[in-house]
Amino acid sequence: MYRFLLTPRWWGINIFVVLAIPFCVFMGSWQLGKFEDRVDTHQEAQQKPDPGEQKAAPLDELLPVDSETSGRQAMATGQYGRQFLVPDRQLDEKRGAYVLTMLKTDGGRTLPVVRGWLAEGDRVPAAPAGPVTVTGALQASETSGTDGVHAAGGLPNGQLGMISAASLVNLVPDDVYDAWVTLSDADSGLKPVPATAPAGSGLDLKAFQNLGYTGEWFVFAGFVLFMWFRLLRRETEAARDVALGLDPA
């Protein structure tokens, strides 16, 4: 009755099932592991002191930016240079722009400094002249997936869509730090821009997407197994009918 299992068609079905179910279980377990990692990271972050409350340290001591140093208060000394506007940034549900000014540090490298947020239509205040010492929350370079990042191209001269060394490489002749700081106390006429948590460190929407994908992969595994049993039952009933002479074929 079960000789049909030895047909080429059923060999293909069986091989597919044998490969598909472990693959679905593996992918579901991997997504679950990603979610658990985010939960662990979130719990560890909750137990640590707020980075913004820790003592300020020289910039170079906090680099490269990672989950430990992101948000820490960094200090740098130098002179302000070229200035950009980073448009389409919201603060308190209002549209505006970040005022991004290049700080040529005493070490020779250039640090992007967000001096504050400017409401749409307001006049951009000039940067302080002469040597300055800035203190602000250290942030990792933005990427195309960062909230608020403007699509590449199409911006007027003097505006920048993304705060990163890569986006500044052709605009600033100096070596640019792969990081930036947002001033704790914004310059006159500007509002301070709060630091953001490092990517992947909190229970955000993406974390719960991982949990949702976990359920989907396990559902797929169950569906494959269900369909295999359904096909097996149908073929078995058809073979029984033929054996009993109930099937004209």
Side-chain angles (χ1 to χ4, degrees):
M1 183 180 299
Y2 294 99
R3 291 180 180 178
F4 62 84
L5 291 174
L6 300 177
T7 62
R9 173 172 172 267
W10 270 93
W11 270 106
I13 293 175
N14 291 334
I15 291 174
F16 171 78
V17 170
V18 168
L19 295 178
I21 291 179
F23 176 76
C24 290
V25 172
F26 169 77
M27 291 301 297
S29 301
W30 180 73
Q31 290 287 355
L32 180 60
K34 296 287 287 184
F35 175 74
E36 290 175 341
D37 289 343
R38 285 177 174 268
V39 171
D40 293 340
T41 303
H42 177 71
Q43 290 176 343
E44 291 175 1
Q46 293 290 91
Q47 296 172 357
K48 293 178 181 178
D50 187 344
E53 296 177 355
Q54 299 182 46
K55 184 179 179 181
L59 172 67
D60 290 331
E61 294 182 6
L62 301 177
L63 296 176
V65 185
D66 55 24
S67 59
E68 296 291 331
T69 60
S70 180
R72 284 283 306 274
Q73 293 293 304
M75 297 185 301
T77 302
Q79 291 191 7
Y80 281 126
R82 189 171 180 182
Q83 185 162 270
F84 301 91
L85 284 181
V86 186
D88 300 327
R89 300 301 175 104
Q90 290 192 351
L91 186 66
D92 299 332
E93 299 183 355
K94 296 180 179 179
R95 286 174 57 98
Y98 292 169
V99 178
L100 180 71
T101 310
M102 301 297 103
L103 180 75
K104 183 65 175 292
T105 65
D106 293 343
R109 301 179 68 186
T110 295
L111 173 67
V113 177
V114 171
R115 295 172 45 228
W117 178 86
L118 184 72
E120 198 171 54
D122 287 358
R123 183 177 179 180
V124 182
V132 294
T133 297
V134 300
T135 301
L138 184 64
Q139 301 281 262
S141 289
E142 294 182 333
T143 66
S144 58
T146 304
D147 290 341
V149 165
H150 199 282
L155 291 175
N157 185 37
Q159 294 190 9
L160 192 69
M162 182 191 311
I163 308 175
S164 70
S167 63
L168 289 163
V169 66
N170 295 322
L171 301 175
V172 179
D174 308 312
D175 183 19
V176 180
Y177 280 102
D178 189 20
W180 56 283
V181 299
T182 171
L183 295 187
S184 305
D185 298 316
D187 287 340
S188 177
L190 303 173
K191 292 184 178 181
V193 175
T196 58
S201 63
L203 295 179
D204 53 9
L205 177 60
K206 190 171 183 180
F208 288 100
Q209 284 179 339
N210 292 132
L211 187 60
Y213 294 150
T214 299
E216 287 182 0
W217 281 111
F218 286 124
V219 168
F220 291 157
F223 180 74
V224 170
L225 190 61
F226 166 76
M227 290 302 298
W228 183 86
F229 275 114
R230 185 174 180 180
L231 288 173
L232 178 66
R233 181 179 178 181
R234 187 179 68 179
E235 293 280 354
T236 302
E237 291 175 348
R240 184 184 297 114
D241 290 345
V242 170
L244 294 174
L246 300 178
D247 189 339

